[in-house]
Amino acid sequence: MVDFMVIKTESLTKKYGKITAVDSLDLSIEEGEIFGLLGPNGAGKTTLISMLCTILKPTSGRAWVNGFDIVKESAKVRKSIGIVFQQPSVDDLLTGRENLAMHNLLFGVPRNVRKQRIDEVLSLVNLEKRADDLLKTYSGGMRRRLELARGVMHHPKVLFLDEPTLGLDPQTREHIWKYIRELAEKECTTIMLTTHYMEEAEELCGRIAIIDYGKIVALDSPQTLKNKIVGDIVRIKQKVTDINSLKKLDYIRNVQEKDGLLYLSIKDASKHLQDLLMHTGPIDFVEVRSGTLNDVFLHYTGREIREAEAEGGFWERMMKK
Amino acid sequence: MNGIISSLEGIYAVWLREAKIYIREKERLISSAISPLLWIFGFGAGIGSTVESIGGFPYMVFIYPGILVMAVLFSSLFYGIYIIWDRKLDFLKEVLVAPVPRASVFAGKMLGGVTDAMVQVIFLLIIGLLINAPLSPVSIIQAFLMLLLISIAMVSIGLVIGANLKSPEGFSLVINFVMWPLFFFSGALYPVDKLSPWLTYATSINPLTYGVDALRGIVLGTHQFPIYLDAAVMLVFAVIAMGLGVLSFRRM
Ligand SMILES: Nc1ncnc2c1ncn2[C@@H]1O[C@H](COP(=O)(O)OP(=O)(O)OP(=O)(O)O)[C@@H](O)[C@H]1O
Ligand SMILES: [Mg+2]
């Protein structure tokens, strides 16, 4: 390795029986980057993060976090990371403060700063007033907030956030975004996050990877992806449809038809609109807007909803692996 | 040095959580108080009314040491099921990504289970005094220590099973195959000196037989093996069980 990469994977693969959840993934993430993982349900985001944080063994391939091999040096990896899981993992029968205190002990926060850290993160997520209530009396969003507080409390070098702002109100989300940005800028914390909120990815991430069926299908900065892939979106309603002739135009990148409307991705619509309308003939309706990350996402991953394949017989359910 | 402190703090963190949950889940505390009563009065009074005294002791007193061991055996082994619930509720992940050695996590859990079982032992010792079991301050301490050793071994076995299975139903299935043979071939409910050869053999390879024998020696003064042999067998068994426990937790 020439440049030090805080997260690096080489052909990292995880198979669950027939399903390949993560498929020969190669990634390099630098120090202080905020890196976003986007992908439809079941794309393999959580599986990837689970492997990187050493709670899941890869089927094949290798990966390093903070320079340590995730399999051979898992103890050192665990010393370097913080994680907010997609599934809540706070303890219902402990209070907020007790959950945090336990985390302090488990993650080796120095004794003299423990109390101060707890107060800091409680105020970050605005839970000071509820700190001494049992978690089972918290609302869903409040749990999420406590979980976030816990993940950052020990000031990890590398932070994994699996859908961190799921179910949070807009105020809290803004707050958290600001904090995440500051972590990356001031503390040089490297952050890998997954999200289904495109505005979150745009707001935070320097680079994003779109993954689908365990493979990276696109990787770049949100801005570049938007410019490169979708440009502008033109929506047209018209009667005579000849999609194929439109596809031949060099400034048109993609044509999709849905509900009687044509969706065209166009490089620089302001320049080519006139020409386009000459090709389409008379139209009933036209709308032009700039492409969004959402368009990029749909471009790469299609529009159909993914279904999870439920599998596993008696013994698979009974045995762990 | 730092490593040692972090290991100890890990043990403490996990144990503290277990202890708090034990106190807060009222059902667990109540069952700790009630099940020993059921054991003693169910078995002792029920079977005792049909069996005459054994070795000069009323049946209820004769089985008292066995009941002590059994209460510890059951609650200790079943404690392993909580690890499956922890995993199901995803709480375990937080502990598994923590930079404390898995041996610490295991030790914390194990001590949590032992705490649970020993609370029951305290209830049982009080009941023992009430039914006139011949207990003295010294024998109470000895019995407590022996039961502690048994509990350490059995909680470890329960955790090994829990760590390797993922459903509570699977756990119950497996634990029944472990628990009942240990129970029946331990001589907890009958004296082991007049058994058929194959039963004698079965009881002699059961580590719990030595636990029961030790307790009977401590409480009633009648025993088949020397107490130090009983203690040595349980100690070796406990060490092996803990070793398996640490290995299982490393693989989690
Ligand atoms: N324990 C498991 N056993 C079997 N298959 C699994 C297991 N965990 C995940 N999978 C499968 O692996 C694939 C990837 O799942 P993963 O949870 O990584 O997706 P994800 O990208 O995080 O999705 P989401 O956006 O819904 O969180 C899916 O097809 C899923 O069904
Ligand atoms: Mg996921």
Side-chain angles (χ1 to χ4, degrees), chain A residues 279-290:
Chain A
H279 281 85
T280 57
I283 53 163
D284 293 346
F285 166 87
V286 61
E287 183 198 67
V288 182
R289 62 178 174 83
S290 347

Side-chain angles (χ1 to χ4, degrees), chain A residues 220-272:
Chain A
D220 219 318
S221 72
Q223 196 53 49
T224 316
L225 282 175
K226 280 192 293 188
N227 294 344
K228 214 164 62 183
I229 305 308
V230 285
D232 300 318
I233 303 284
V234 177
R235 197 159 67 123
I236 293 177
K237 188 167 181 188
Q238 59 129 34
K239 297 203 179 66
V240 265
T241 327
D242 184 7
I243 294 181
N244 285 330
S245 80
L246 288 180
K247 276 185 180 163
K248 290 194 190 99
L249 299 171
D250 62 353
Y251 52 85
I252 292 195
R253 291 192 171 127
N254 196 17
V255 183
Q256 279 186 324
E257 195 181 1
K258 196 177 159 234
D259 305 333
L261 291 172
L262 283 182
Y263 291 79
L264 309 159
S265 325
I266 291 184
K267 197 171 106 189
D268 209 346
S270 51
K271 212 155 92 194
H272 300 292

Side-chain angles (χ1 to χ4, degrees), chain A residues 37-132:
Chain A
L37 288 174
L38 305 184
N41 292 142
K45 305 177 295 293
T46 300
T47 307
L48 172 62
I49 288 190
S50 303
M51 286 191 283
L52 293 177
C53 72
T54 78
I55 51 173
L56 192 63
K57 293 240 155 40
T59 310
S60 61
R62 298 183 69 185
W64 295 263
V65 172
N66 200 23
F68 303 116
D69 188 299
I70 57 164
V71 177
K72 293 184 198 133
E73 299 168 293
S74 59
K76 286 179 179 153
V77 172
R78 289 203 282 264
K79 282 203 172 74
S80 322
I81 62 172
I83 176 162
V84 174
F85 295 104
Q86 180 176 5
Q87 306 287 348
S89 68
V90 282
D91 207 314
D92 258 8
L93 286 173
L94 298 183
T95 67
R97 199 184 295 280
E98 284 170 341
N99 266 294
L100 296 176
M102 173 165 160
H103 187 86
N104 267 340
L105 285 170
L106 287 174
F107 283 75
V109 173
R111 187 181 297 267
N112 52 339
V113 295
R114 282 180 194 163
K115 206 189 154 305
Q116 175 201 339
R117 291 277 180 92
I118 290 180
D119 293 336
E120 262 170 36
V121 293
L122 280 173
S123 87
L124 165 73
V125 296
N126 237 317
L127 278 175
E128 301 103 319
K129 289 207 189 77
R130 300 298 300 272
D132 295 307

Side-chain angles (χ1 to χ4, degrees), chain A residues 55 78 85 87-89 91 93 98 102-103 106-107 111 114 134 150 316-320, chain B residues 9 17 20-21 24-25 87 90-91 93-94 96-100 102 166-167 170 251-252:
Chain A
I55 51 173
R78 289 203 282 264
F85 295 104
Q87 306 287 348
S89 68
D91 207 314
L93 286 173
E98 284 170 341
M102 173 165 160
H103 187 86
L106 287 174
F107 283 75
R111 187 181 297 267
R114 282 180 194 163
L134 292 185
R150 191 178 66 175
E316 279 74 37
R317 270 183 280 125
M318 214 70 126
M319 306 301 293
K320 202 175 67 177
Chain B
E9 282 189 338
R17 181 257 175 184
K20 279 182 177 157
I21 294 215
R24 283 174 198 173
E25 280 197 314
R87 198 206 301 273
D90 268 322
F91 162 73
K93 275 199 236 158
E94 153 80 354
L96 294 183
V97 291
V100 293
R102 286 291 163 82
K166 72 170 183 188
S167 78
R251 293 197 317 130
M252 259 196 313

